[in-house]
Amino acid sequence: IDKLTGSDWRLIIAGSVDEKSEDSVSHFKSALSRASQREDIEIYANVDRAVLSQLLDQAAMYIHATGLTKDQMNEPHLHEHYGITVVEALTHGCYPVVYEHGGPSEIVRECNLDFKNNIFTSAKSLIGAISKSTCFLGPLIEGEQWESFKIIQRQAMDYISEKEKQNTQVLS
């Protein structure tokens, strides 16, 4: 977010905190402390569906970085296997920026949304992906190519419909 200082962009983090886990609570408190020093960062924990839906409706971009700092071979359980939150964000019209390993990148590719600037491989390339995506999204949000951006939402809905059909056929 430091690269975007002085812009109209804000970073909103919404996630869950396991209140029974000291590590989870400690990590949350640390993030909250750092974010409190910035006006352009907001953190939400354990929000209900209505609030999450509202946040996604207001968002232009959705960043999914689960597993970014974890070893894929030795800690596969710490990577996102499916990425339902990515699909959910897509249905709200959010532009996806995702980590290359696991389900989120597969969803982005299956929906034909791999724009070469929205799949990142490391923390360093995440910054580049966000910067490139904000450059891409700026004119898009201002209306120059709004219809092409809305294709993301339609493709996500088509993806969900196709998966539901496949699941129904399997159950029949």
Side-chain angles (χ1 to χ4, degrees):
I1 193 88
D2 287 331
K3 296 264 186 190
L4 305 176
T5 298
S7 74
D8 292 333
W9 290 92
R10 292 180 305 132
L11 175 64
I12 298 175
I13 301 169
S16 60
V17 176
D18 179 355
E19 295 170 358
K20 295 176 184 172
S21 164
E22 287 183 35
D23 288 343
S24 183
V25 171
S26 174
H27 180 75
F28 173 70
K29 286 181 179 178
S30 173
L32 201 56
S33 173
R34 286 179 291 180
S36 69
Q37 300 169 21
R38 303 280 303 257
E39 291 182 15
D40 52 358
I41 300 175
E42 299 172 36
I43 298 180
Y44 297 85
N46 302 332
V47 297
D48 63 35
R49 301 294 309 161
V51 172
L52 182 59
S53 185
Q54 185 178 29
L55 290 171
L56 289 170
D57 282 341
Q58 295 171 5
M61 186 186 314
Y62 177 80
I63 302 166
H64 194 287
T66 299
L68 177 61
T69 61
K70 307 303 176 192
D71 184 308
Q72 185 181 13
M73 297 304 285
N74 294 320
E75 301 173 300
H77 59 286
L78 298 177
H79 288 259
E80 181 67 53
H81 300 292
Y82 177 66
I84 192 66
T85 59
V86 176
V87 174
E88 184 177 15
L90 287 168
T91 64
H92 285 269
C94 298
Y95 180 78
V97 177
V98 301
Y99 181 47
E100 74 170 341
H101 295 294
S105 63
E106 292 172 17
I107 289 168
V108 166
R109 288 182 180 107
E110 274 193 49
C111 290
N112 295 316
L113 299 172
D114 179 2
F115 298 117
K116 305 297 181 211
N117 64 350
N118 63 330
I119 296 180
F120 57 91
T121 58
S122 65
K124 184 176 180 180
S125 67
L126 168 59
I127 300 305
I130 293 170
S131 296
K132 289 175 187 172
S133 295
T134 56
C135 292
F136 172 78
L137 284 174
L140 209 55
I141 292 167
E142 292 167 9
E144 293 176 20
Q145 303 169 11
W146 183 247
E147 281 307 309
S148 63
F149 184 64
K150 292 308 276 183
I151 289 171
I152 291 173
Q153 188 174 25
R154 286 193 292 274
Q155 287 175 324
M157 296 301 261
D158 290 346
Y159 176 82
I160 291 169
S161 294
E162 182 60 33
K163 291 299 179 187
E164 285 176 348
K165 283 180 196 174
Q166 290 173 1
N167 288 339
T168 302
Q169 291 171 353
V170 169
L171 296 174
S172 299

